[in-house]
Amino acid sequence: MSYRHRLKTLLVAAAIAVASPMGASWAQGPIPGGTLHLAAPYGAALKSLDPHVTYNSQDLVVSKAFHRALYTWDSSNNAPALDLAELVSTSEDGKTYTYRLFDNIYFHNGRKLTSDDVIWSYTRIMDPTKGYPGSVQVSTLAGAKEYAEGKAKEISGLKKIDDRTFSMTFNDFVDPGMMFFEAITAILPREEVESGKFLTHPVGLGPFAFVDHVEGSRISGKKFDKYYKQGKPYADAVDFTISGDSSALDMAFRAGELDATVLSENAYVLYKADPELSKGLIEISELFTRHMGFNTEKPPFNDVRVRQAINYAVDRDIIIKKLLKDKAYKATGWLPATSPAFDKERQPYPYDQAKAKALLAEAGYPNGFEFTATVTDGTSSLGVLEAMMPFLKEVGITANAKVVDSNTLVDEMDQGLAAAWFRSAGTGPDPINALRCFDSRVSRPACNRSAFKDTAYDAILDEAAAERDPSKRIDLIKKADGYIFEQAPVWFNNYNKAVVATQPWIHGVDANVTEAAIIEVDSLWLDDNAPGR
């Protein structure tokens, strides 16, 4: 059945249902049952089923179904919300938070969650031999860095009070919710992780228990009957289609095989113009910054003038309008417009090829140079690089593309093998945490892929982290962001406008600015016209 024929049938059925008991049940609230069919986009395969290992967006999408962190992101209030604890109190000095866990939280293996699980999970994340991405967040705890350096046997800032109560003490004044809401800080059961089976059969606290994973194709789960949120999840099962092919996801959505999916630039234009498809669009200004990263440890990108030259050499306006179909906002720094510390007064790098040529000559490259950028095969990666090439050629720079899959891209960045690369990096919601990705003391795997090192910059961040006055703190963060903008360890491309397409039969899809594809699956429900029922 075609999408249009299916949709027409559904609209007629919905009209008839208004006066029927079935229609009344829709209006009254969620209907339990059915299987959710969702997309795990952006790549041909998941990087890992261990949520601590991967910060890839599609892995985070899937993890939301199987795992839970201390906090979650509340899209209705656009802020983090306490998730695993029933209450939290703060010390007078503002650096220690004491939590009381709910008494009805169970792992999928039937064991109840305890304070020991929280402490073990955060300690695991700080393992210096692993380079887990969540170490950036956990390192804000007192004693975390000492533990990672082998100077302590435990993280002093983590204290167990009893089986349900624990405290976290931080080095500076932070909002723990901003630090501990993503799957990279999920709470895991130690016995399952160390069993040797976890990488193929993950066990978590999420609304769905793992059932099956066909690598590069799909991953599924079934409703966890002991899930701690009463009445949730509404659906009996969830099935994710794993794909980095936006055209394939578009076709699946149009065929009614997906309940929701994120849209590419080209699909966005078509859906926007369609009188029916446009009704199900959710447009979101995400906390992500698209960029071309530079390896600042190696020539020519170890010279700030070369990095600045590339920022001057390219006309971003044309790329955003013609290639990205206006599904983007021009970047004026690392922090996006939805960040609490966004500097709305700062102007983007202007398109000025004369300035670019002058900077290249000063840096010792009057005739330009040649480099290779590692990219994935997509509009926002390979497509943007190809659009840049003529502009770069005008100032003497020859850019080549090395096309790889998303996992290989991450590996090359983490190992310092890529000279340059294209990436969409999470730049929120906590601005200091986002800016730590250029902190000299942060490793490549943790997020400092450019290997940027500048002690003056580190000092600005430290001063901001130690400042209790909110307005002064924001000013210091803006200063740090401006410093990075000037030093240009990346080519600042754009802030992402994400668009989620939803079918008329799915309800409860939220607008998550931290990553539009990460949907709060325990709140989704399907009405009686859904193919998944």
Side-chain angles (χ1 to χ4, degrees):
M1 183 183 292
S2 70
Y3 174 88
R4 288 186 179 280
H5 184 74
R6 183 191 296 274
L7 183 58
K8 183 178 179 180
T9 302
L10 290 175
L11 291 174
V12 171
I16 295 173
V18 170
S20 71
M22 183 188 296
S25 70
W26 293 4
Q28 290 171 0
I31 304 172
T35 298
L36 299 170
H37 292 95
L38 304 172
Y42 310 127
L46 300 177
K47 181 177 176 64
S48 177
L49 297 187
D50 184 338
H52 289 173
V53 170
T54 172
Y55 205 18
N56 285 1
S57 293
Q58 68 181 148
D59 296 79
L60 296 176
V61 169
V62 170
S63 291
K64 196 67 176 177
F66 303 121
H67 302 287
R68 291 284 123 167
L70 181 59
Y71 289 79
T72 189
W73 187 259
D74 180 358
S75 294
S76 61
N77 293 313
N78 204 28
L82 198 59
D83 201 26
L84 298 180
E86 60 184 1
L87 58 86
V88 58
S89 60
T90 311
S91 62
E92 288 188 11
D93 68 0
K95 292 185 178 182
T96 298
Y97 292 75
T98 301
Y99 297 85
R100 180 72 170 171
L101 296 170
F102 284 111
D103 194 32
N104 65 332
I105 304 180
Y106 293 85
F107 288 107
H108 299 152
N109 63 5
R111 182 173 67 75
K112 186 176 286 189
L113 171 72
T114 71
S115 299
D116 289 325
D117 297 307
V118 178
I119 293 172
W120 179 83
S121 295
Y122 293 163
T123 303
R124 179 195 188 221
I125 292 169
M126 282 308 298
D127 184 336
T129 66
K130 302 298 185 181
Y132 290 133
S135 63
V136 176
Q137 284 85 339
V138 179
S139 66
T140 58
L141 288 166
K145 292 180 180 178
E146 289 78 2
Y147 171 79
E149 293 169 356
K151 298 177 181 178
K153 294 183 178 180
E154 59 186 24
I155 298 175
S156 62
L158 292 171
K159 297 292 185 185
K160 176 182 177 180
I161 297 172
D162 58 41
D163 281 348
R164 289 178 54 200
T165 313
F166 67 95
S167 66
M168 300 198 298
T169 300
F170 296 88
N171 292 310
D172 300 304
F173 305 106
V174 304
D175 179 352
M178 295 289 192
M179 299 290 168
F180 299 101
F181 75 92
E182 294 179 298
I184 54 173
T185 60
I187 309 305
L188 305 178
R190 179 175 185 172
E191 70 275 15
E192 297 291 346
V193 174
E194 295 180 347
S195 70
K197 301 178 182 178
F198 191 78
L199 291 178
T200 57
H201 198 287
V203 174
L205 299 165
F208 296 93
F210 174 83
V211 171
D212 185 42
H213 176 216
V214 180
E215 189 171 354
S217 177
R218 56 183 289 272
I219 185 168
S220 60
K222 63 180 180 180
K223 180 177 181 178
F224 180 46
D225 291 333
K226 284 190 173 183
Y227 187 54
Y228 60 100
K229 296 181 182 179
Q230 187 173 8
K232 293 185 176 182
Y234 301 120
D236 290 333
V238 64
D239 190 279
F240 291 95
T241 296
I242 303 168
S243 177
D245 187 339
S246 57
S247 296
L249 292 175
D250 171 36
M251 291 176 62
F253 182 84
R254 288 173 181 268
E257 296 168 1
L258 288 175
D259 301 320
T261 187
V262 292
L263 297 182
S264 65
E265 289 81 6
N266 291 332
Y268 171 60
V269 174
L270 296 174
Y271 280 52
K272 190 80 170 176
D274 189 293
E276 299 300 339
L277 292 172
S278 61
K279 294 177 181 179
L281 299 185
I282 301 174
E283 298 187 11
I284 306 166
S285 179
E286 281 186 324
L287 290 161
F288 279 81
T289 302
R290 288 175 174 164
H291 63 284
M292 177 169 68
F294 304 127
N295 187 337
T296 63
E297 289 185 320
K298 298 178 181 179
F301 301 124
N302 60 339
D303 193 312
V304 64
R305 293 165 295 187
V306 170
R307 306 192 299 263
Q308 290 173 339
I310 292 179
N311 274 282
Y312 281 113
V314 180
D315 188 342
R316 293 171 182 77
D317 290 327
I318 289 180
I319 293 176
I320 290 174
K321 185 174 182 62
K322 300 295 185 181
L323 179 67
L324 302 180
K325 313 298 185 183
D326 283 326
K327 189 177 170 288
Y329 309 95
K330 186 160 57 174
T332 58
W334 189 244
L335 299 178
T338 39
S339 170
F342 176 70
D343 188 346
K344 62 182 180 180
E345 304 299 325
R346 189 185 306 126
Q347 297 300 308
Y349 277 93
Y351 174 45
D352 189 340
Q353 290 200 324
K355 177 71 171 177
K357 289 179 180 178
L359 285 166
L360 289 173
E362 289 177 18
Y365 299 95
N367 300 315
F369 57 88
E370 184 173 352
F371 77 97
T372 297
T374 305
V375 299
T376 53
D377 187 8
T379 301
S380 61
S381 189
L382 176 60
V384 173
L385 177 62
E386 290 176 337
M388 293 174 68
M389 287 177 179
F391 295 108
L392 295 176
K393 198 70 174 179
E394 286 293 319
V395 298
I397 300 175
T398 299
N400 302 302
K402 178 182 178 182
V403 184
V404 300
D405 63 83
S406 59
N407 289 335
T408 300
L409 173 64
V410 171
D411 289 340
E412 290 202 3
M413 290 188 300
D414 288 350
Q415 296 168 25
L417 300 177
W421 58 88
F422 276 74
R423 191 71 171 163
S424 180
T427 44
D430 181 72
I432 291 182
N433 189 45
L435 289 168
R436 288 288 183 200
C437 283
F438 300 105
D439 189 319
S440 302
R441 297 155 293 187
V442 173
S443 67
R444 267 200 175 95
C447 74
N448 189 3
R449 268 73 181 250
S450 291
F452 181 75
K453 292 180 174 59
D454 191 316
T455 55
Y457 171 75
D458 300 344
I460 299 172
L461 275 186
D462 289 346
E463 186 179 359
E467 179 57 63
R468 293 197 70 174
D469 183 276
S471 62
K472 291 180 180 178
R473 184 186 181 91
I474 291 295
D475 286 343
L476 286 167
I477 296 171
K478 287 182 179 179
K479 181 180 178 181
D481 191 38
Y483 194 101
I484 283 298
F485 191 59
E486 181 181 347
Q487 291 296 309
V490 306
W491 172 67
F492 296 93
N493 185 6
N494 63 71
Y495 307 131
N496 189 38
K497 178 198 287 187
V499 182
V500 178
T502 64
Q503 300 284 12
W505 55 72
I506 190 169
H507 307 271
V509 178
D510 58 335
N512 188 344
V513 300
T514 70
E515 171 57 76
I518 301 177
I519 300 172
E520 186 60 87
V521 291
D522 67 4
S523 297
L524 299 181
W525 61 278
L526 302 167
D527 65 41
D528 288 317
N529 283 323
R533 296 196 67 85

